[in-house]
């Protein structure tokens, strides 16, 4: 795995003085490296008919990480807001072992950002957990308005142990645009993260043109890959046909292309759902979040 994805965007490296870790770090962001997109499938549109099953329409972790780190790097470069992104694989690691040492995987520090975005994928569904550092508030955004992900409490404790900040849970589900199909959770998660990057908060998107939003995500990733985004971010969707005629996939785009022998393959971690059910960090009721602190 590309080491920069372990760090994410907006994080500084911990300095070591006489063998002792310090909280001192620089305030530079680390721009996303998106060369992996050249060897992975494009985001497919339902209307293109290139998918063989609904699973082909799910956004991959690379898609979500690339989109979120791309917009976080942009708003940081433009001095709009300091946002860091925690790669989705960290939540996968915590799901396997809630007591994992977070410092082995996290290099994000309080002085580097005001907001931390943490995408979480559970049972093929994307959530977006957001830590508002200045307000000491954490929330979980979900385009199906279900309960927070099972890993929420473990993730919360992990971030608190790194930042030395206690976060109170706040329900902001009234500002979530609901998905209208069974495969657009990743697109919704990115759009919520994008609004938070630019505006500091999420807001309803009405109307939400699902196909156009998917096509826009594909175009954003293309532009990021070839470094086309400089002073202006990609315009928002205005009509249901926006972006849909761009980047149409051919047959070669529908399969995953193997990288060269020098490329490092990303390890796919299978999570035992029975272990998750036994995990005492699972939250069933909103008020249990504070009881576990």
């Amino acid at each position: 795995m590309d080491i920069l994805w372990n760090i994410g965007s907006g994080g500084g490296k911990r300095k070591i003085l006489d063998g002792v870790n310090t909280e001192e770090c620089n305030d530079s962001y680390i721009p996303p490296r998106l060369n992996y997109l050249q060897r992975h499938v494009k985001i497919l549109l339902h209307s293109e008919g290139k998918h063989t099953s609904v699973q082909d329409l799910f956004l991959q972790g690379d898609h979500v990480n690339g989109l979120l780190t791309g917009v976080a790097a942009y708003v940081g470069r433009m001095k709009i807001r300091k946002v860091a992104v925690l790669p989705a694989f960290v939540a996968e690691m915590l799901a396997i072992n809630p007591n994992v040492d977070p410092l082995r995987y996290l290099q994000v520090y309080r002085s580097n950002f005001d907001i931390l975005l943490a995408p979480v994928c559970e049972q093929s569904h994307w959530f977006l957990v957001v830590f508002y550092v200045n307000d000491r508030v954490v929330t979980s955004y979900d385009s199906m308005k279900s309960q927070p992900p099972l890993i929420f409490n473990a993730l919360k404790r992990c971030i608190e142990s790194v930042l030395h900040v206690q976060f109170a849970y706040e329900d902001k589900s009234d500002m979530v645009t609901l998905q209208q199909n069974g495969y657009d959770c990743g697109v919704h998660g990115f759009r919520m993260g994008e609004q938070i990057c630019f505006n500091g908060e999420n807001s309803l998107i009405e109307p939400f043109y699902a196909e156009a939003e998917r096509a826009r995500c594909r175009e954003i990733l293309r532009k990021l890959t070839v470094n086309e985004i400089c002073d202006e971010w990609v315009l928002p969707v205005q009509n249901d046909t926006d972006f849909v005629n761009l980047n149409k996939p051919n047959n070669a785009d529908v399969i995953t292309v193997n990288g060269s022998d020098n490329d490092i393959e990303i390890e796919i971690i299978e999570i035992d759902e029975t272990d998750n059910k036994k995990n005492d960090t699972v939250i069933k009721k909103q008020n249990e979040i504070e009881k576990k602190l």
Side-chain angles (χ1 to χ4, degrees), residues 137-141 146 168-176 286:
V137 166
V138 59
T139 191
S140 174
Y141 293 101
S146 63
Y169 180 79
E170 185 172 326
D171 184 354
K172 299 188 178 186
S173 59
D174 58 333
M175 298 306 294
V176 172
Q286 179 178 326

Side-chain angles (χ1 to χ4, degrees), residues 215-244:
R216 179 176 178 265
C217 287
R218 186 165 67 186
E219 174 66 359
I220 289 173
L221 287 176
R222 185 197 68 79
K223 284 179 173 289
L224 288 170
T225 304
V226 296
N227 296 317
E228 283 188 6
I229 299 180
C230 297
D231 297 331
E232 294 185 4
W233 187 247
V234 179
L235 294 175
V237 168
Q238 300 292 333
N239 302 290
D240 59 356
T241 58
D242 290 348
F243 302 98
V244 296

Side-chain angles (χ1 to χ4, degrees), residues 49-111:
K50 292 290 186 178
H51 58 288
T52 58
S53 67
V54 69
Q55 283 76 19
D56 295 337
L57 299 174
F58 295 166
L59 263 60
Q60 301 173 3
D62 285 341
H63 295 143
V64 174
N65 287 338
L67 288 163
L68 289 176
T69 54
V71 66
Y74 176 83
V75 297
R77 185 171 70 248
M78 303 303 291
K79 301 187 183 304
I80 297 172
R81 190 165 285 104
K82 294 193 296 183
V83 181
V85 178
L86 194 67
F89 89 93
V90 175
E92 294 178 357
M93 297 296 296
L94 287 169
I96 296 172
N97 179 11
N99 297 316
V100 68
D101 178 6
L103 292 181
R104 293 181 59 191
Y105 307 102
L106 307 183
Q107 290 182 329
V108 290
Y109 302 96
R110 182 178 178 182
S111 62

Side-chain angles (χ1 to χ4, degrees), residues 12 23 31 33 64 76 80 88 118 187 205 229 286 292:
E23 295 295 334
R33 293 173 61 180
V64 174
I80 297 172
V187 175
I205 302 175
I229 299 180
Q286 179 178 326
K292 291 182 179 289

